[in-house]
Amino acid sequence: MEKRKLGTTGPTVSAIGLGCMGMSDFYGPADRSESIATVHAALDAGITLLDTGDFYGMGHNEMLIGEALAARGRDNVRISVKFGALRDPAKNWSGYDSRPAAIKNFLAYSLQRLRVETIDLYRPARLDPDVPIEETVGAMADMVKAGWIRHIGLSEVGAETIRRAHAVHPISDLQIEYSLISRGIEDDILPTCRELGIGITAYGVLSRGLISGHWNADRGTKDFRAMSPRFQGSNLDANLALVDSLRAIADGVGASPAQVAIAWVAAQGKDIVPLVGARRRDRLTEALGALEVKLTEKHLTALAKAFPPGAAAGARYPEAQLAHMDSEKRAGA
């Protein structure tokens, strides 16, 4: 397994990370035993980065990871946790909380659910509009000194916020959506991270399955994607037409559309680690195959022509959620 370092000060991890969210939330029912088997298969394959959030299934995802690691051990595994998103018993969203006291509370519960003594990468899920980022990062820096977390990350914030946060404590990486059809970070955010020596952990590399080549255009889906603008009406038709172009290029490469999409993200720089949201071992196996895909300049040119910035139809989140995303103040698609 190829290794990549997350920024100047962050840990060295596998070239692909496993995003565990779908094992607990947002994409419909998941099989617990298959989820744990998938985590184990990822570890066996050399994946060392597991990504979660304390609000994924209201703690379910952290407990799942804790159970999976209990059978295998913590050695060489790097756990990344997002915190701060507030939810009610009906699983609705009710804002974000990044006050120093709240962070300590969130962290205490995460350590318990994960069955670990320290978390490798800890990050606010979104910018709390009521708390200056300096206060949030300052509180996290205190926890680094105390040994409860090892590295500080950010998620879905813009260039100005990144600079302010990094001035308080070194930021290891920014977690943000990046794919063939979500390229808004290229204008300002990615250059800022590279200037400051901050890595990128890229989620949504398959745009929630839209460009995986497996989407069956089931407009009756009841999961998160039912609210996603890119999966609705004429937007879905236009985006699936893009997938046809990806499939044609993938056929020429000798790989699946998903493998080419993941390989494209990985090819954008050694400072970028794609997170693959596999919930099953077969999907994980396919994703790992992306490591063997070698995209030539001819392939990259064809992909650039088929997927220019802004090619996707529809925003990547519903408007109500975009309003909470600092990264969208300047980002494009």
Side-chain angles (χ1 to χ4, degrees):
M1 173 69 71
E2 176 192 345
K3 305 293 184 183
R4 295 188 172 188
K5 185 173 173 60
L6 291 179
T8 303
T9 62
T12 297
V13 299
S14 50
I16 285 181
L18 180 64
C20 300
M21 179 185 77
M23 298 176 181
S24 301
D25 216 344
F26 302 111
Y27 295 131
D31 182 272
R32 186 180 188 86
S33 61
E34 179 62 22
S35 295
I36 291 175
T38 301
V39 173
H40 289 167
L43 300 178
D44 291 341
I47 287 179
T48 62
L49 177 62
L50 302 180
D51 182 77
T52 184
D54 63 10
F55 51 94
Y56 293 167
M58 282 61 72
H60 177 277
N61 204 236
E62 290 180 318
M63 290 189 289
L64 185 76
I65 291 172
E67 181 179 346
L69 293 182
R72 292 297 183 94
R74 171 75 196 276
D75 293 346
N76 300 319
V77 177
R78 302 291 176 261
I79 304 174
S80 171
V81 177
K82 290 178 290 299
F83 70 86
L86 304 177
R87 303 180 73 178
D88 65 23
K91 301 184 179 181
N92 297 314
W93 302 96
S94 52
Y96 298 92
D97 192 349
S98 291
R99 293 171 300 131
I103 297 172
K104 292 181 181 180
N105 180 76
F106 293 139
L107 178 59
Y109 280 83
S110 288
L111 291 169
Q112 183 73 17
R113 288 187 291 250
L114 288 163
R115 310 185 197 181
V116 299
E117 296 181 353
T118 186
I119 291 173
D120 302 284
L121 294 147
Y122 203 54
R123 70 188 80 242
R126 298 287 187 269
L127 180 67
D128 184 341
D130 298 322
V131 180
I133 191 64
E134 289 84 356
E135 289 186 21
T136 298
V137 174
M140 296 170 69
D142 291 339
M143 293 178 218
V144 172
K145 293 176 184 177
W148 292 330
I149 62 177
R150 292 194 174 100
H151 302 281
I152 296 175
L154 297 172
S155 177
E156 287 289 357
V157 293
E160 179 184 352
T161 301
I162 293 168
R163 291 185 185 279
R164 289 168 54 196
H166 193 68
V168 176
H169 186 279
I171 301 300
S172 65
D173 70 301
L174 171 70
Q175 188 173 122
I176 195 164
E177 186 170 358
Y178 189 35
S179 73
L180 279 166
I181 63 172
S182 296
R183 297 177 57 183
I185 72 168
E186 294 175 349
D187 295 334
D188 191 24
I189 293 174
L190 182 56
T192 297
C193 287
R194 286 177 167 164
E195 174 192 337
L196 299 176
I198 298 171
I200 298 289
T201 42
Y203 76 87
V205 293
L206 298 179
S207 194
R208 298 161 186 82
L210 181 59
I211 60 173
S212 66
H214 300 299
W215 182 252
N216 62 11
D218 177 11
R219 299 176 191 271
T221 182
K222 300 300 183 183
D223 63 30
F224 164 80
R225 289 165 290 195
M227 299 180 292
S228 173
R230 291 183 176 175
F231 286 83
Q232 295 180 7
S234 60
N235 287 348
L236 178 60
D237 296 330
N239 292 328
L240 289 177
L242 292 174
V243 180
D244 290 339
S245 298
L246 175 59
R247 194 184 303 277
I249 295 170
D251 288 344
V253 174
S256 72
Q259 289 169 337
V260 171
I262 296 167
W264 180 87
V265 174
Q268 301 313 300
K270 295 293 186 180
D271 53 349
I272 299 174
V273 174
L275 298 173
V276 296
R279 301 195 294 170
R280 306 191 324 241
R281 283 169 286 182
D282 59 339
R283 292 287 190 254
L284 174 66
T285 298
E286 180 183 21
L288 288 168
L291 296 170
E292 306 301 321
V293 173
K294 305 301 180 185
L295 297 177
T296 66
E297 286 300 320
K298 180 179 179 181
H299 297 142
L300 292 171
T301 298
L303 287 166
K305 183 178 180 180
F307 294 90
R316 58 194 184 97
Y317 280 93
E319 186 61 35
Q321 294 187 37
L322 288 175
H324 293 285
M325 296 174 70
D326 184 63
S327 55
E328 286 293 316
K329 290 181 179 179
R330 292 179 179 271

